[in-house]
Amino acid sequence: MGRVAIAACAMGIIFTASGKPALAEQPKTIATTGMASYYGYGGRTANGERHSAAAMTAAHRSLPFGTKVRVTNTANGRSVVLRINDRGPFIRGRIIDVSTAAADNLGFRKRGVAKVQIAVVD
């Protein structure tokens, strides 16, 4: 059996066995857990669309516009897929703002905030 050398690379981890490199598979979804809130104002979003409280959209500080994320309420297990079309939240401790319709579906509109898990989906 040959030596196995492991090297970290910016694109992933490369495993070398018997002189044949192979790129390790990267996880397709990266999950983040934190607090979510909802918003339902009129006007335009950061990407220029008109905001709709009925749309399944969300605001995130850094994900690119158009990214689809699965947001799961950790308290009740409900989840929805949302499209990022705005920037925010701008309140410390929150990781995502969802539309009013998404908050209804996730079951936290009355409370206003919920602990959620976010995962980017294809």
Side-chain angles (χ1 to χ4, degrees), residues 5-16 22-26:
I6 301 172
C9 176
M11 292 175 35
I13 299 175
I14 297 176
F15 294 93
T16 305
L23 188 61
E25 181 133 351
Q26 291 288 339

Side-chain angles (χ1 to χ4, degrees), residues 37-39 45-47 49 51-52 55-61 63-67 69 71 80-89 95-100 102 106 118:
S37 53
Y38 79 94
Y39 66 114
T45 62
N47 74 347
E49 305 178 359
H51 175 74
S52 170
M56 298 303 280
T57 57
H60 191 274
R61 288 186 197 103
L63 288 173
F65 294 137
T67 301
V69 293
V71 179
V80 293
V81 175
L82 306 175
R83 181 177 53 87
I84 303 298
N85 74 336
D86 205 358
R87 291 291 171 229
I95 61 170
I96 195 166
D97 275 336
V98 301
S99 65
T100 305
L106 291 167
I118 302 171

